[in-house]
Amino acid sequence: MITVTLLTRAGCGSCDRVAAQIRPVVAAEAARLEIRDVDAGDGAEAVEFGDRVPVVLVEDEEIACWEIDDEELVEAIRGARG
């Protein structure tokens, strides 16, 4: 199963908006959505992504930052399937 990861930060309105936008797209493509707070864990993601959240990854490859087009996400998921 393809994993789409959304990197977020608590209190980020754009993160909430993108999560609501991509949730049905990911489900329609039979992929798995993982939402991860960059401030959790060892802090490496907070350093790497800073204020660039939300960031969308497909199979750990960054495909979008701040905004994403639904068709772009579908293309990335399908492309990850090979």
Side-chain angles (χ1 to χ4, degrees):
M1 179 176 277
I2 300 299
T3 300
V4 176
T5 304
L6 178 63
L7 301 177
T8 65
R9 173 171 274 126
C12 170
S14 293
C15 298
D16 295 338
R17 180 185 49 74
V18 170
Q21 174 193 343
I22 69 171
R23 191 170 276 116
V25 176
V26 172
E29 289 299 313
R32 181 173 76 90
L33 178 61
E34 174 186 354
I35 298 177
R36 198 162 64 220
D37 188 326
V38 297
D39 296 319
D42 64 5
E45 286 182 334
V47 170
E48 180 177 353
F49 295 100
D51 291 330
R52 292 191 316 121
V53 295
V55 174
V56 179
L57 312 171
V58 174
E59 292 296 296
D60 293 324
E61 181 178 329
E62 183 176 337
I63 64 161
C65 175
W66 295 309
E67 300 284 333
I68 186 158
D69 181 73
D70 290 350
E71 290 78 23
E72 179 184 359
L73 178 56
V74 167
E75 184 177 304
I77 293 169
R78 291 179 181 174
R81 285 195 181 110

